[in-house]
Amino acid sequence: MLPLPLKGVSVTQRCYFYRTIAATRRRFLLLPTLFLPLLPAASHSSFATPFATAGAGMKPPVPTKIEHEMVMFGDVRKDDYYWLRDDSRSDPRVLEYLRQENAYTDFVLSGSKTLQDQLFTELKGRIKEDDISAPLRDGPYFYYTRTLEGKEYVQHCRQPIPNGEGPGSVHEVMPTGPDSPLQHIILDENVKAQGHEYYSVGAFKVSPNHKLVAYAEDTKGDEIYTVYVIEAETQNLIGKPIVGVTEYIEWAGNEVLLYITNDEIHRPYKQIQLFINNLVVYEREDGLLKVTVYGLPAAGKAIECLQDGQVVEFIDPIYEVESVNSQYNSHVLRFSYSSMRTPPSVYDHDMDSRVTVLKKVEAVLGGFNTSNYVTERKWSVASDGTRVPISIVYRKDLVKLNGTDPLLLYGYGSYEICIDPDFRTSRLSLIDRGFVYAIAHVRGGGEMGRKWYEDGKFLEKRNTFTDFISCAEYLLENKYGSKEKICIHGRSAGGLLIGAVLNMRPDLFKAAVAGVPFVDVVTTMLDPTIPLTTSEWEIKPQNYPHILVTAGLNDPRVLYSEPAKFVAKLRDMKTDNNLLLFKCELGAGHFSKSGRFEKLQEDAFTYTFILKALDMVPPLES
């Protein structure tokens, strides 16, 4: 399995074409893309005892300070907890410290175990465990995924279409029952996941002739994938697996598979797909996606301008819409839609007749009724006069809107990523307890366009933090929540946001959850081996709210050592007696555990902390 060498070319990211003519004939073409120079790595300090043993009564772990200096550009930075970084994730002293942190967190929350179990039962009880996705017509088959009762993962299936290939219709339904064609299971993730703590299929692609399937598999959570090509009917492996690549794969004909590798900093390149007779434009207006369908001229005629577009109408004031794979030569556009009160729904839109048909709504069990919930779009005004959108949902029969309700405010604000107001069944366990749930669409994200992103990066990064603070102040001033019951939440770069606002306005919040937080910014930004890496936060001797910090040992985006060092320094500096808990999943990566029920257990754990921090645990468990 050798690439063809290109003389005089030095690359760190490669794009390959994998030719599957036969199991014993494979060719590779290496194309140069990007070269990034490496900076010298800082040396590690030697140390003896890495942490002080926790005493009786389960006191918080206290890691030892070991002097470590980093010099660059004439500047000397000291990091007493640098020893907590172990890129091999195998140092027994570091792992023991992480286990002690986990044990301390479990001990502190052990009195709320009944609540945590109740929350998990609620979350699981809303799921229709045995279900299928909306079948998608592709060639002579319907393709879909199936979930089974009690199983963590999905089955990838297909069923022959009785009338064979064709463009299909928005009214088409896959036959079911004893007389329907037999379904065929192409890949059962439950079988593949056996023996792995973590399992994720990042891509599942069928060849144009429907004979082969390529899928990308991650068994550690480090987002480094192995790609397998199998026969769709027999599941026999074709050739050898392709290791150490991204999940971005695409067939180019029936014998060529395009796959993309990472460079040293995990930066892949993604591709797009087009329709043949229509052009569908997704553009943002006031922070929300607008979908417009344009007809294209006959083949051979030039496109002079786009006009008379059909705008697809949606029912909620705030929502999320995403494109779904559609047949290139079809007049049917498939998209998924949800809002903070509307469960994920799949629609087929006939681009000729403009008829839209609902194909599938995700079932939410337990008596859920969308009419019980209210969604709103509000705008706060930042210190520089910029209007910042806020998405809000609450249960109208429980929330008083008099300044006494508990409030959870979420934020991200980085990489031009849009945090759209979608539906999450897990949120109902807070909303149905009287919470107002809000998303602050702060600068640094992409909700309001390119300038919105640029105004929240580099020297303008502070706007991300002040926007979030202004959103919190707006919600409190307008009685969407109580200062004694406001919790904030962010993950990854959103964890950077949480770390920053905790230092800027610790008095404003009662509790905070920082998931896999990017909080060792300067050290990380100067390390070229870390992917996706932006202003330094500063921990001060002051009072902080209750804080939960989470991490994943195998996280390739935010090293587990960043939140670990953040917690260590925070424990050393803070002047209050509030909760400071750290949970590091030793068998997961950036996106936590992989199983659908495992994820619900993590949600139950986080919600237990929030309810405990806001003094909302039922009396018998307090």
Side-chain angles (χ1 to χ4, degrees), residues 130-415:
D130 188 355
D131 201 5
I132 68 169
S133 64
L136 176 67
R137 169 189 271 268
D138 187 1
Y141 297 97
F142 288 113
Y143 287 88
Y144 55 96
T145 58
R146 177 183 293 278
T147 53
L148 303 177
E149 185 175 356
K151 297 295 185 180
E152 294 276 6
Y153 303 97
V154 303
Q155 295 176 328
H156 298 265
C157 309
R158 74 181 182 187
Q159 179 176 305
I161 297 175
N163 298 326
E165 295 193 41
S169 162
V170 293
H171 302 289
E172 188 173 46
V173 177
M174 185 178 76
T176 58
D179 297 328
S180 63
L182 292 177
Q183 78 161 4
H184 174 64
I185 301 173
I186 302 173
L187 181 72
D188 190 337
E189 293 186 19
N190 297 288
V191 175
K192 293 292 183 179
Q194 293 176 7
H196 299 291
E197 284 189 64
Y198 181 96
Y199 187 83
S200 176
V201 171
F204 181 89
K205 300 286 185 175
V206 181
S207 64
N209 63 6
H210 304 276
K211 293 183 178 180
L212 301 177
V213 169
Y215 66 95
E217 173 186 277
D218 174 11
T219 59
K220 293 177 65 178
D222 57 7
E223 300 174 57
I224 299 175
Y225 290 82
T226 299
V227 173
Y228 297 87
V229 178
I230 60 174
E231 292 179 344
E233 285 296 321
T234 66
Q235 290 80 54
N236 290 335
L237 182 65
I238 302 296
K240 295 180 179 179
I242 310 165
V243 300
V245 296
T246 75
E247 76 273 34
Y248 301 125
I249 57 177
E250 197 65 61
W251 288 99
N254 294 312
E255 298 179 334
V256 177
L257 179 72
L258 174 67
Y259 67 96
I260 300 174
T261 69
N262 291 306
D263 63 8
E264 278 85 347
I265 56 174
H266 285 224
R267 288 178 177 170
Y269 178 78
K270 198 172 181 179
Q271 302 168 54
I272 61 173
Q273 186 178 10
L274 300 175
F275 277 94
I276 187 170
N277 292 322
N278 296 92
L279 179 65
V280 181
V281 176
Y282 293 80
E283 55 190 341
R284 288 195 173 264
E285 189 174 273
D286 287 335
L288 297 171
L289 272 177
K290 182 175 73 172
V291 182
T292 308
V293 178
Y294 295 92
L296 295 178
K301 292 187 177 181
I303 302 175
E304 297 181 358
C305 65
L306 293 176
Q307 58 186 2
D308 299 326
Q310 315 164 25
V311 176
V312 181
E313 300 293 338
F314 302 115
I315 59 176
D316 294 293
I318 53 175
Y319 56 85
E320 177 193 53
V321 62
E322 292 183 333
S323 63
V324 178
N325 288 339
S326 304
Q327 293 191 89
Y328 175 69
N329 61 349
S330 173
H331 56 87
V332 177
L333 167 68
R334 172 162 289 193
F335 60 86
S336 65
Y337 171 89
S338 76
S339 76
M340 297 176 81
R341 72 183 190 102
T342 304
S345 309
V346 176
Y347 288 89
D348 279 350
H349 176 78
D350 190 310
M351 293 182 283
D352 294 337
S353 68
R354 305 188 182 186
V355 172
T356 302
V357 176
L358 176 64
K359 306 300 290 186
K360 170 82 176 181
V361 179
E362 182 179 294
V364 181
L365 307 182
F368 171 80
N369 186 338
T370 187
S371 65
N372 291 332
Y373 304 87
V374 175
T375 57
E376 297 178 2
R377 167 55 57 87
K378 298 295 182 181
W379 300 80
S380 71
V381 179
S383 55
D384 63 357
T386 300
R387 297 174 73 241
V388 182
I390 309 172
S391 297
I392 303 170
V393 63
Y394 55 87
R395 184 160 168 162
K396 61 184 179 183
D397 59 336
L398 296 178
V399 167
K400 304 177 182 66
L401 296 180
N402 63 356
T404 64
D405 301 304
L407 167 65
L408 180 58
L409 178 61
Y410 184 88
Y412 187 77
S414 287
Y415 306 124

Side-chain angles (χ1 to χ4, degrees), residues 38-80:
L38 298 181
L39 296 175
S43 60
H44 291 264
S45 301
S46 60
F47 58 92
T49 305
F51 57 86
T53 304
M58 191 60 78
K59 295 180 180 178
V62 182
T64 300
K65 295 180 181 180
I66 300 173
E67 186 174 339
H68 179 87
E69 290 188 351
M70 292 168 283
V71 181
M72 186 166 286
F73 310 123
D75 179 64
V76 179
R77 291 182 299 113
K78 294 183 178 181
D79 185 351
D80 294 336

Side-chain angles (χ1 to χ4, degrees), residues 557-582:
R557 301 180 181 224
V558 178
L559 285 181
Y560 73 90
S561 55
E562 293 198 34
K565 291 194 291 181
F566 176 70
V567 169
K569 189 169 183 179
L570 197 54
R571 279 224 180 95
D572 184 51
M573 300 288 287
K574 76 189 192 83
T575 56
D576 59 81
N577 293 317
N578 289 329
L579 293 176
L580 174 57
L581 304 180
F582 179 41

Side-chain angles (χ1 to χ4, degrees), residues 314-594:
F314 302 115
I315 59 176
D316 294 293
I318 53 175
Y319 56 85
E320 177 193 53
V321 62
E322 292 183 333
S323 63
V324 178
N325 288 339
S326 304
Q327 293 191 89
Y328 175 69
N329 61 349
S330 173
H331 56 87
V332 177
L333 167 68
R334 172 162 289 193
F335 60 86
S336 65
Y337 171 89
S338 76
S339 76
M340 297 176 81
R341 72 183 190 102
T342 304
S345 309
V346 176
Y347 288 89
D348 279 350
H349 176 78
D350 190 310
M351 293 182 283
D352 294 337
S353 68
R354 305 188 182 186
V355 172
T356 302
V357 176
L358 176 64
K359 306 300 290 186
K360 170 82 176 181
V361 179
E362 182 179 294
V364 181
L365 307 182
F368 171 80
N369 186 338
T370 187
S371 65
N372 291 332
Y373 304 87
V374 175
T375 57
E376 297 178 2
R377 167 55 57 87
K378 298 295 182 181
W379 300 80
S380 71
V381 179
S383 55
D384 63 357
T386 300
R387 297 174 73 241
V388 182
I390 309 172
S391 297
I392 303 170
V393 63
Y394 55 87
R395 184 160 168 162
K396 61 184 179 183
D397 59 336
L398 296 178
V399 167
K400 304 177 182 66
L401 296 180
N402 63 356
T404 64
D405 301 304
L407 167 65
L408 180 58
L409 178 61
Y410 184 88
Y412 187 77
S414 287
Y415 306 124
E416 206 174 358
I417 290 174
C418 302
I419 305 299
D420 285 319
D422 62 356
F423 185 88
R424 304 289 174 89
T425 57
S426 58
R427 291 178 190 153
L428 296 176
S429 285
L430 293 181
I431 298 172
D432 287 352
R433 283 176 168 79
F435 272 76
V436 174
Y437 187 96
I439 302 171
H441 303 283
V442 296
R443 280 175 283 186
E447 292 92 337
M448 301 290 287
R450 181 70 180 181
K451 191 175 187 302
W452 197 254
Y453 161 59
E454 292 174 344
D455 286 348
K457 62 183 290 192
F458 297 146
L459 296 179
E460 306 298 330
K461 187 60 187 173
R462 185 178 176 84
N463 287 332
T464 302
F465 314 142
T466 55
D467 283 358
F468 190 84
I469 290 171
S470 76
C471 288
E473 291 174 333
Y474 173 90
L475 291 169
L476 294 177
E477 289 168 3
N478 288 274
K479 302 187 183 305
Y480 282 96
S482 163
K483 191 173 180 180
E484 294 303 314
K485 292 182 179 180
I486 178 173
C487 179
I488 57 176
H489 185 199
R491 295 190 80 258
S492 190
L496 164 68
L497 165 64
I498 299 303
V501 301
L502 284 177
N503 286 296
M504 296 169 69
R505 288 294 308 276
D507 61 301
L508 189 57
F509 313 109
K510 185 68 174 181
V513 178
V516 292
F518 175 36
V519 285
D520 191 14
V521 180
V522 170
T523 300
T524 298
M525 287 299 297
L526 294 176
D527 185 342
T529 67
I530 308 298
L532 302 176
T533 62
T534 95
S535 63
E536 178 71 284
W537 47 266
E538 179 185 358
I539 295 176
K540 308 170 187 176
Q542 61 182 353
N543 289 347
Y544 287 87
H546 301 292
I547 300 173
L548 169 64
V549 180
T550 65
L553 183 64
N554 296 320
D555 191 338
R557 301 180 181 224
V558 178
L559 285 181
Y560 73 90
S561 55
E562 293 198 34
K565 291 194 291 181
F566 176 70
V567 169
K569 189 169 183 179
L570 197 54
R571 279 224 180 95
D572 184 51
M573 300 288 287
K574 76 189 192 83
T575 56
D576 59 81
N577 293 317
N578 289 329
L579 293 176
L580 174 57
L581 304 180
F582 179 41
K583 182 77 169 181
C584 182
E585 291 295 345
L586 302 182
H590 191 68
F591 298 103
S592 68
K593 292 184 177 180
S594 55

